[in-house]
Amino acid sequence: MQPTAEPHNATLVEKTPLETYVPPAKPSLIGLSRTELADCLGEIGVAPAQRKMRVQQLWHWLYFRGARSFDDMTSISKGIRTDLAERFTVDRPEVVAEQISNDGTRKWLLRLPSGDNVERAHEVECVYIPETDRGTLCVSSQVGCTLNCSFCHTGTQRLVRNLTAGEIVGQVMVARDRLNDWADREDGTRRVTNIVMMGMGEPLYNFDAVRDALLIVGDNEGIGISRRRITLSTSGVVPNIVRAGEEIGVMLAISLHAVRDELRNELVPLNRKYPIAELLQACRDYPGASNARRITFEYVMLKGVNDSLDDAKLLVKMLKGVHAKINLIPFNPWPGTAYECSDWDQIEKFSEYIFNAGYSSPVRTPRGRDILAACGQLKSETEKLSARERQTLRAMAMTD
Ligand code: SAH
Ligand code: SF4
């Protein structure tokens, strides 16, 4: 069955409002910049002249060694450690479930502070995908997503909140914790070598937190994942694309999925606000794009919707003049979707056409399908509870 086009309606482009973040009484230092850490040290009475050195030490313990308590930070004086522990924590998001796929993919469900809104706990998912030459962590930027791409499970989630920088960096730290992947790993190799901002949410609608987090993740005195190994995927928030290049400097991926505005309006409703021509112009203007640093165009293969050879031809034509590579993604179905994945021989034909036109066109192998961890399948567990289960949760919270 073909999904029908929704009527043009402004409310379909973006959901509002965002839920707000309620910080815990004792905030975590994770996600703070060096300047903010210096301010925290000031709060506990560390003299200005000492702060720079202490920040260096804290940074090393937090982001290079992955210390999970102030007690572990043995090069910092006992007094400062105690004072820090009185006011702050080094907490990461809480892991509420870990699933391991039969292909080695791991998915963590993380619970985040949600104030007293027990009915709707704030949860995100984060996925680790091991490959022979690398390990990629797929990180979320929002609980849910304000956008409504018609083929994406996350887009069907109503609850939306922006993650803080700490919650974004925290996902990388959770993965390193769970994979025993900190600097003291015995064989000196790393498991998490690459980051993709392709989990839940639209990263360019949470620009500041995503920027602050990725600058921490890329900092070579800490987590140290180089910017060339970090990819930010956007559905096309045009005004923030060039900014991302200037202020973050990571690799860019664009969720294109259609070559005509009419179809893209339906698949990626944000296209009504920022149509294809404007999106491609922003890509041409992306700072740092070159033949060696190409922009990835993601194209989800939907049977009978966007997978004809005419689409492939137009795709190649429209990418002229853009430093581009194309990534074909087999559609990952989720319960309730009306879309189907293109037939394999059609994907091959499409891919071959693009390849012959001079583009590398890898087809992304779906990973972790058995644990619903593949692209676009992430959705908060809490959202899936029935009304009765939610009522029970609320009742339990009231009797606590
Ligand atoms: N919001 C950002 C990043 C998260 S989605 C974005 O849209 O780019 C990461 C990628 O997965 C995007 O290219 C998205 O279009 C794709 N995707 C979403 N749902 C999918 C599905 N069911 N099957 C395959 N890919 C999907
Ligand atoms: Fe949001 Fe990306 Fe899903 Fe679209 S594809 S709804 S932008 S997460």
Side-chain angles (χ1 to χ4, degrees):
M1 189 188 86
Q2 283 297 300
T4 49
E6 301 278 3
H8 187 130
N9 174 342
T11 58
L12 287 171
V13 176
E14 289 159 68
K15 288 172 229 152
T16 48
L18 293 172
E19 302 244 336
T20 47
Y21 167 71
V22 182
K26 236 196 214 189
S28 173
L29 294 184
I30 306 294
L32 301 189
S33 64
R34 287 185 173 83
T35 316
E36 289 165 327
L37 285 178
D39 292 344
C40 294
L41 289 165
E43 274 183 45
I44 61 159
V46 173
Q50 264 204 21
R51 283 181 208 160
K52 197 169 172 204
M53 184 262 289
R54 295 293 182 206
V55 166
Q56 284 304 102
Q57 290 177 321
L58 259 179
W59 195 268
H60 179 82
W61 282 109
L62 289 173
Y63 298 125
F64 190 73
R65 307 284 287 268
R68 280 184 244 184
S69 86
F70 291 109
D71 281 344
D72 295 344
M73 303 182 181
T74 45
S75 61
I76 300 177
S77 76
K78 186 97 179 50
I80 293 182
R81 279 188 270 153
T82 312
D83 292 347
L84 279 172
E86 261 169 35
R87 291 227 195 172
F88 306 103
T89 70
V90 291
D91 287 351
R92 296 85 156 105
E94 181 195 352
V95 179
V96 285
E98 176 177 66
Q99 282 176 285
I100 305 182
S101 158
N102 49 28
D103 69 11
T105 301
R106 290 179 192 228
K107 181 170 86 171
W108 296 285
L109 175 68
L110 306 173
R111 183 163 303 145
L112 310 169
S114 58
D116 48 12
N117 196 348
V118 189
E119 188 186 1
R120 297 168 138 236
H122 293 174
E123 290 172 345
V124 287
E125 291 178 332
C126 171
V127 177
Y128 173 69
I129 306 140
E131 288 170 276
T132 40
D133 61 337
R134 67 180 71 184
T136 304
L137 190 70
C138 181
V139 171
S140 293
S141 55
Q142 297 182 312
V143 175
C145 185
T146 44
L147 302 173
N148 302 285
C149 302
S150 52
F151 55 90
C152 173
H153 206 194
T154 308
T156 65
Q157 186 169 322
R158 281 159 298 140
L159 174 65
V160 179
R161 137 154 123 67
N162 276 332
L163 299 193
T164 64
E167 290 167 338
I168 298 168
V169 177
Q171 294 171 62
V172 182
M173 302 189 69
V174 162
R176 284 229 157 133
D177 292 345
R178 305 294 297 186
L179 296 166
N180 181 24
D181 192 32
W182 287 107
D184 47 4
R185 240 176 104 71
E186 276 161 22
D187 60 4
T189 59
R190 281 301 165 87
R191 289 188 163 178
V192 179
T193 60
N194 292 57
I195 303 286
V196 291
M197 295 301 300
M198 295 187 187
M200 296 164 73
E202 169 46 58
L204 294 188
Y205 267 165
N206 186 14
F207 190 89
D208 291 1
V210 167
R211 175 199 52 213
D212 295 350
L214 293 183
L215 292 179
I216 292 175
V217 170
D219 188 291
N220 58 17
E221 289 171 15
I223 296 172
I225 297 176
S226 110
R227 288 173 195 190
R228 300 192 62 147
R229 289 176 172 270
I230 302 176
T231 303
L232 185 152
S233 173
T234 179
S235 56
V237 185
V238 164
N240 283 344
I241 289 180
V242 170
R243 262 188 91 193
E246 287 167 352
E247 297 179 36
I248 321 177
V250 292
M251 305 299 284
L252 181 67
I254 301 285
S255 294
L256 189 64
H257 308 318
V259 288
R260 294 181 191 86
D261 280 320
E262 197 189 13
L263 177 61
R264 195 162 189 272
N265 285 346
E266 196 185 309
L267 300 178
V268 185
L270 185 66
N271 195 69
R272 292 174 193 159
K273 207 166 172 178
Y274 307 117
I276 295 175
E278 286 180 29
L279 178 57
L280 290 179
Q281 191 52 47
C283 293
R284 289 192 194 94
D285 297 341
Y286 190 71
S290 66
N291 264 341
R293 304 191 66 188
R294 289 170 187 265
I295 297 172
T296 303
F297 286 83
E298 298 163 280
Y299 198 93
V300 65
M301 299 299 293
L302 301 168
K303 186 175 184 166
V305 176
N306 65 354
D307 62 351
S308 73
L309 278 187
D310 276 350
D311 290 307
K313 283 180 195 160
L314 209 52
L315 178 60
V316 165
K317 210 165 146 195
M318 70 194 263
L319 291 181
K320 282 239 163 68
V322 184
H323 297 290
K325 57 184 176 189
I326 298 164
N327 198 186
L328 301 181
I329 317 176
F331 172 64
N332 293 306
W334 37 271
T337 180
Y339 292 107
E340 285 176 70
C341 182
S342 305
D343 293 334
W344 195 249
D345 64 335
Q346 189 59 25
I347 297 182
E348 278 189 337
K349 276 188 205 144
F350 198 100
S351 161
E352 206 176 280
Y353 182 86
I354 290 168
F355 182 80
N356 290 336
Y359 289 94
S360 83
S361 59
V363 179
R364 192 181 293 172
T365 325
R367 299 288 303 268
R369 269 188 170 175
D370 55 332
I371 56 169
L372 279 186
C375 272
Q377 292 185 321
L378 306 184
K379 189 175 177 196
S380 153
E381 286 299 317
T382 318
E383 280 282 317
K384 292 182 215 146
L385 296 181
S386 66
R388 183 193 289 164
E389 285 167 319
R390 286 187 183 174
Q391 229 168 19
T392 317
L393 254 182
R394 200 169 22 199
M396 276 160 49
M398 287 195 293
T399 53
D400 265 354

